[in-house]
Amino acid sequence: MLKRREKRRYISVMHGCSASEASAAIEKRLQELYGAIAAERASLKVVRPGEGVSVLRCSLGSEEKVLVAIALASPPVTTLDMSSSAKRLKRRLTKVNTALLAEKSRG
C-alpha cells in the first residue's frame, strides 16, 4: 500500500516582529491551548519568512486550531489569507501588496 503525503494549508500572517519570533509565539499559544500532541500534529513551519509578512505551513486537519492560536498570539499576529497551494497564496499576496503600494503613493 502506498503512503500518501499529508495535505497542507498555507497561511500568510502579518507581524510586527521577526518571523521566527512570530512563529514561536504561535507555536507556544497552540501548545498552551491544545497541548503538545496537537501542536506536533499541526506541524507548523515557516515556509517564507519576510519582513512584516510571512507564510506558514500547517497540516490540513489542524488549520482551525492554528488560526485560533494566531488570533490569540502575543505579540499580535494577524492572518491575511489562507490557501491550499503556496503558489496561489503567493499570487494573491502580490496582488494585495501591489494594491497597498498604489494606495500609499496616491495618499
Side-chain angles (χ1 to χ4, degrees):
M1 185 170 169
L2 295 173
K3 280 191 166 186
R4 292 188 59 142
R5 187 179 68 164
E6 188 174 343
K7 291 189 177 185
R8 302 173 180 141
R9 289 291 177 256
Y10 296 89
I11 304 170
S12 62
V13 294
M14 184 171 57
H15 47 82
C17 54
S18 70
S20 60
E21 288 177 18
S23 173
I26 294 168
E27 285 184 40
K28 180 182 174 195
R29 183 61 68 185
L30 186 64
Q31 191 168 5
E32 289 173 356
L33 291 171
Y34 300 106
I37 295 173
E40 264 316 299
R41 283 190 182 150
S43 62
L44 194 64
K45 181 179 178 185
V46 178
V47 177
R48 176 171 291 174
E51 191 174 313
V53 177
S54 299
V55 176
L56 305 173
R57 181 182 75 199
C58 70
S59 61
L60 176 63
S62 61
E63 72 269 12
E64 291 177 5
K65 293 177 182 178
V66 171
L67 289 173
V68 170
I70 290 171
L72 299 175
S74 177
V77 180
T78 306
T79 305
L80 296 175
D81 201 359
M82 184 170 77
S83 180
S84 61
S85 133
K87 185 176 181 180
R88 188 176 307 137
L89 184 64
K90 180 183 170 187
R91 194 176 325 134
R92 288 196 298 224
L93 279 178
T94 55
K95 286 180 183 178
V96 169
N97 288 340
T98 307
L100 289 174
L101 289 173
E103 279 184 29
K104 285 182 181 179
S105 65
R106 280 189 238 151

